[in-house]
Amino acid sequence: MARILSNVFNKKIELFSTNFCRLSNARKGSVCVLVAAQLPEEQIKRLAEAGIAPGTAVTVGVSSSAGDPTLYKTDEVRIALRKETADRLLVREIRK
């Protein structure tokens, strides 16, 4: 069964639960493509300004010694996201 969610550009997309996961659940070193963000508009804008938008490839980096935040890398930027934010970003793993 599919669910319909809005991505950061407010376009309707169809998500199949077997193809997608939360960014916080992606394994260290895996490369994921951002599919949708379930965040307040202000946080979405901040991520977009940092170069993280739908279709962006994101590599999961290392976590802090306490486990939160985790470093994520794109071609342009490295950003540390807390688990609560990464939980609300849906991605599709393209390389493990």
Side-chain angles (χ1 to χ4, degrees):
M1 178 174 281
R3 297 179 292 158
I4 302 294
L5 298 174
S6 292
N7 69 11
V8 295
F9 295 117
N10 293 322
K11 295 177 184 174
K12 297 284 183 172
I13 57 173
E14 193 170 342
L15 301 178
F16 294 90
S17 58
T18 58
N19 296 336
F20 298 92
C21 69
R22 298 184 186 284
L23 183 57
S24 60
N25 293 338
R27 289 181 240 156
K28 178 182 171 186
S30 64
V31 179
C32 306
V33 173
L34 183 62
V35 175
Q38 300 170 318
L39 292 165
E41 197 66 31
E42 186 175 309
Q43 286 182 316
I44 290 172
K45 286 180 184 177
R46 254 186 266 149
L47 288 174
E49 288 170 359
I52 298 176
T56 302
V58 178
T59 303
V60 181
V62 297
S63 296
S64 70
S65 58
D68 193 33
T70 300
L71 180 69
Y72 298 95
K73 297 180 253 180
T74 69
D75 287 338
E76 302 172 10
V77 71
R78 293 177 187 200
I79 188 168
L81 297 176
R82 295 205 175 278
K83 185 178 183 322
E84 63 191 42
T85 302
D87 277 344
R88 305 189 90 200
L89 297 174
L90 298 175
V91 297
R92 178 175 46 86
E93 282 190 85
I94 56 175
R95 255 190 325 250
K96 297 179 183 179

